Amino acid sequence: MYRITGDQKYQEWGWQIFESIEQYARVEHGYAALVNVLQTNMTSNLEDSMESFFLAETLKYLYLLFSPPTVLPLDEYVFTTEAHPFRIIK
């Protein structure tokens, strides 16, 4: 939405999401899944797993949110639901 509207609230929301991921899910060798996002005891709230879509989709979309519009321009690429970019054939 940010690239279409230019509304910086989307970047602000994205940065809050990134900071929360770093604060609550970051572990020594990557990121853990949270058992319950409403739980405050973080020690027992981490699951020893990291879904592949976290890197392939979540972090890719966060990267694109802050990258220049020349990186995978939306008038040249379309994204699948799994965040794979496909060049638009004109």
Side-chain angles (χ1 to χ4, degrees):
M1 292 296 299
Y2 170 72
R3 286 199 181 179
I4 293 171
T5 67
D7 189 337
Q8 289 190 326
K9 74 178 176 188
Y10 297 108
Q11 285 185 318
E12 293 166 9
W13 292 346
W15 187 249
Q16 290 173 357
I17 290 167
F18 176 74
E19 286 182 319
S20 293
I21 290 169
E22 285 293 306
Q23 181 178 354
Y24 296 110
R26 183 82 168 133
V27 292
E28 184 178 358
H29 298 291
Y31 294 88
L34 300 179
V35 176
N36 181 347
V37 296
L38 301 176
Q39 185 175 330
T40 56
N41 181 357
M42 293 312 298
T43 305
S44 64
N45 196 33
L46 298 177
E47 189 172 296
D48 188 18
S49 70
M50 182 178 73
E51 300 289 346
S52 62
F53 66 79
F54 174 72
L55 297 174
E57 297 173 40
T58 306
L59 292 185
K60 186 185 302 179
Y61 281 130
L62 282 170
Y63 170 77
L64 290 171
L65 181 61
F66 296 99
S67 65
T70 55
V71 175
L72 297 172
L74 296 180
D75 60 342
E76 296 178 24
Y77 290 88
V78 64
F79 290 88
T80 68
T81 56
E82 286 80 27
H84 300 300
F86 284 94
R87 185 178 292 277
I88 298 171
I89 300 172
K90 297 181 182 180

